Amino acid sequence: MHTDRQNQIIEESIKLIHTQGIQGMTIKNISNAIGLTEAAIYRHFKSKDEILSTILDDFRLNLETKAQSLLASNLSAKEALDNLLNHMVDMFCAKPFIVSVIFSDEIFKNKQKLSNKITQLIKQNNEYFRLIVEGGQKNKEIRTDIDANELAIIIMGSFRMVIKNWQLSKQVYSLKLRGQELFAALFKIISIK
């Protein structure tokens, strides 16, 4: 758990990245936006990279908790995929600016530790989708002529495109509705007819 002040710093950092890019997320800009001294910011986080690392860790842990509960449930593969994808949509709808962090190559390009974290996040999500798809293949819900890993990549890639388009459109349409349309199409593609 974070303190209220840490949460405030995280939220402001995400907003700055969204509005000004990674260059705008400076300790000085964060402190000005919150009304604290730079030294006060450093009492909560050692560096800008630690703030970014915390954002990624929080996002990863949130998804991990949800995916683990779905994998332990008795839901069908279709229900589990729908549940996980809707959870992700809800996360982005609640904090739309986080898309600018999670899907930004610019942030992680020259920072090996952060690059490793985003790689870990992608691998983790791929693994959860793969496990759900694999379970669906075993239960004869999902087609088996395509490898579970490839289907997981198709699901994740399609989802990423929808999220990125939503971000680029400045959230002018309902991500929830667009997500439901995508999920319905994906299920038609991967389901056994």
Side-chain angles (χ1 to χ4, degrees):
M1 287 307 286
H2 306 303
T3 65
D4 288 343
R5 185 63 78 190
Q6 285 174 318
N7 284 329
Q8 185 182 22
I9 292 166
I10 289 167
E11 292 301 314
E12 193 57 45
S13 298
I14 292 168
K15 286 179 192 171
L16 285 168
I17 292 168
H18 179 73
T19 58
Q20 300 178 29
I22 190 61
Q23 306 85 346
M25 186 207 161
T26 64
I27 298 299
K28 181 177 182 169
N29 286 346
I30 296 167
S31 68
N32 288 339
I34 295 174
L36 292 175
T37 65
E38 291 179 44
I41 301 292
Y42 284 115
R43 283 195 291 276
H44 296 282
F45 292 99
K46 294 176 195 167
S47 67
K48 181 170 115 168
D49 284 356
E50 186 179 13
I51 296 169
L52 289 167
S53 183
T54 301
I55 293 166
L56 292 174
D57 287 341
D58 289 351
F59 190 82
R60 185 185 54 76
L61 288 171
N62 184 308
L63 286 177
E64 180 177 31
T65 301
K66 183 64 173 180
Q68 296 272 344
S69 72
L70 291 170
L71 288 168
S73 74
N74 291 324
L75 294 175
S76 69
K78 180 178 180 178
E79 291 168 325
L81 285 171
D82 185 56
N83 208 304
L84 184 55
L85 290 167
N86 274 308
H87 178 73
M88 293 170 78
V89 165
D90 290 343
M91 288 173 63
F92 289 125
C93 287
K95 295 183 179 185
F97 295 157
I98 196 139
V99 175
S100 298
V101 177
I102 301 300
F103 294 118
S104 173
D105 297 331
E106 170 190 358
I107 293 173
F108 313 110
K109 186 170 32 179
N110 299 315
K111 304 281 186 174
Q112 191 59 50
K113 183 178 177 186
L114 294 173
S115 180
N116 291 344
K117 282 190 180 279
I118 203 70
T119 300
Q120 178 186 11
L121 175 63
I122 292 167
K123 284 181 180 178
Q124 171 189 287
N125 289 345
N126 188 64
E127 181 66 5
Y128 290 134
F129 282 110
R130 186 191 64 76
L131 288 170
I132 293 170
V133 168
E134 230 172 43
Q137 288 175 326
K138 286 177 186 165
N139 293 333
K140 308 217 183 302
E141 299 172 63
I142 295 178
R143 57 191 300 169
T144 57
D145 59 332
I146 300 174
D147 182 71
N149 193 55
E150 297 305 318
L151 289 174
I153 291 169
I154 289 166
I155 293 166
M156 286 177 48
S158 301
F159 183 71
R160 180 184 171 107
M161 182 63 74
V162 165
I163 297 295
K164 197 66 180 163
N165 284 339
W166 178 69
Q167 176 198 25
L168 293 172
S169 76
K170 305 212 183 314
Q171 299 93 23
V172 296
Y173 57 87
S174 167
L175 181 60
K176 196 87 165 147
L177 181 60
R178 181 64 189 101
Q180 289 169 351
E181 293 167 351
L182 172 69
F183 307 157
L186 284 171
F187 294 138
K188 282 182 185 176
I189 293 168
I190 69 172
S191 296
I192 291 177
K193 308 261 186 279

